[in-house]
Amino acid sequence: MRPEFFLDRNLGRRVAEELRSRGWAVHRIGEVFPADGQHIPDEDWIAHGLRQSWVPLSKDGRIKTRDLEIRPVLDHAAVLFYLDDQQLRSIEMMQRLDTHLAAIYRAVEKGGPAAYAVRHDCIEPWIICGN
């Protein structure tokens, strides 16, 4: 079964639309929470997505180092992906994600807890340790 992804607001509508057009199963935060999820803390949208078995996807790599925000990933032994460059344009974000689709699927299958940076040439794991 192919994974479904839950996209943070910071990825934008265009990335979601482009990924869908390429066959990705994605849910945008704005489709689930009011006001495009602007007032939803990261730990809440991540936890909500994980309860649905959706894989969180963001461009905010700082999530992996913030205790409250990474806690749902630990609790669910899940994986989270983030783009390693917050300055990418929408088309570059989509291309980078789509280029690494097979590696992303393998990482989801492997399980976690882990956070992966989606870099231009690979995905790189950040092993999460916590209690």
Side-chain angles (χ1 to χ4, degrees), residues 100-113:
H100 298 300
L101 178 64
I104 289 169
Y105 276 26
R106 285 192 301 272
V108 170
E109 215 173 275
K110 183 178 178 181

Side-chain angles (χ1 to χ4, degrees), residues 1-129:
M1 185 158 85
R2 72 181 182 156
E4 296 182 43
F5 296 87
F6 197 27
L7 277 59
D8 194 351
R9 186 179 81 255
N10 61 24
L11 292 173
R13 286 188 176 114
R14 183 170 181 207
V15 170
E17 291 167 7
E18 289 290 331
L19 291 174
R20 283 181 181 142
S21 76
R22 292 173 181 246
W24 286 58
V26 299
H27 307 274
R28 285 189 330 93
I29 194 170
E31 297 165 347
V32 176
F33 295 105
D36 204 28
Q38 291 182 25
H39 306 292
I40 303 299
D42 284 336
E43 60 271 18
D44 291 348
W45 76 262
I46 292 168
H48 176 83
L50 292 173
R51 286 191 299 273
Q52 312 306 313
S53 298
W54 300 341
V55 179
L57 182 56
S58 179
K59 71 174 185 180
D60 182 2
R62 295 171 298 183
I63 286 175
K64 72 182 182 296
T65 60
R66 294 183 183 136
D67 291 340
L68 281 177
E69 295 169 12
I70 204 62
R71 175 57 44 198
V73 175
L74 289 165
D75 292 346
H76 290 267
V79 294
L80 172 142
F81 295 90
Y82 62 92
L83 292 162
D84 74 331
D85 182 347
Q86 292 190 351
Q87 304 305 314
L88 294 173
R89 296 176 321 194
S90 294
I91 193 71
E92 294 168 318
M93 289 187 269
M94 184 278 307
Q95 288 171 337
R96 183 175 291 193
L97 291 166
D98 201 47
T99 295
H100 298 300
L101 178 64
I104 289 169
Y105 276 26
R106 285 192 301 272
V108 170
E109 215 173 275
K110 183 178 178 181
Y116 288 82
V118 181
R119 302 193 183 288
H120 73 281
D121 59 343
C122 66
I123 66 168
E124 183 176 49
W126 169 281
I127 306 302
I128 303 168
C129 302

